[in-house]
């Protein structure tokens, strides 16, 4: 059953809807928040939006690689 969660990423308040348990959602939010804040701290010219987009690109790349690896393993 889908639940609503109030989350905060880099001081941005959002409401997320997920059928995942709260602890899972919180762990994902913490991971993303840590990565975004790390980008902002280490690159003063990187805005929150830039950091969020870079994280999104990174996660999409990781997912594409994982999907490719899964297809390769399933083919074996």
């Amino acid at each position: 059953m889908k639940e609503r969660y109030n989350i905060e990423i880099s001081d941005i308040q959002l409401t997320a809807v997920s059928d995942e348990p709260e602890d899972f959602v919180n762990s994902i939010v913490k991971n993303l928040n840590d990565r975004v804040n790390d980008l902002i701290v280490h690159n003063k010219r990187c805005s929150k939006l830039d950091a969020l987009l870079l994280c999104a690109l990174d996660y999409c790349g990781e997912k594409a690689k994982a999907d490719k690896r899964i297809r390769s393993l399933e083919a074996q």
Side-chain angles (χ1 to χ4, degrees):
M1 184 167 115
K2 296 208 182 269
E3 296 287 334
R4 288 184 175 273
Y5 300 104
N6 294 318
I7 62 172
E8 182 177 329
I9 300 170
S10 193
D11 299 325
I12 300 170
Q13 302 288 325
L14 300 164
T15 299
V17 178
S18 177
D19 51 7
E20 298 295 338
E22 185 174 10
D23 60 333
F24 179 80
V25 172
N26 288 337
S27 70
I28 298 300
V29 168
K30 182 184 180 326
N31 186 306
L32 180 57
N33 193 49
D34 290 347
R35 288 177 82 167
V36 167
N37 288 334
D38 187 55
L39 279 171
I40 292 169
V41 166
H42 289 96
N43 185 347
K44 298 297 181 191
R45 295 189 302 175
C46 187
S47 70
K48 287 180 187 180
L49 178 60
D50 293 341
L52 286 164
L53 289 171
L54 289 170
C55 286
L57 285 170
D58 191 37
Y59 280 122
C60 287
E62 289 176 14
K63 183 183 181 313
K65 288 177 190 175
D67 289 346
K68 183 177 178 181
R69 177 85 172 125
I70 289 168
R71 284 191 304 273
S72 173
L73 290 171
E74 287 175 341
Q76 291 179 356

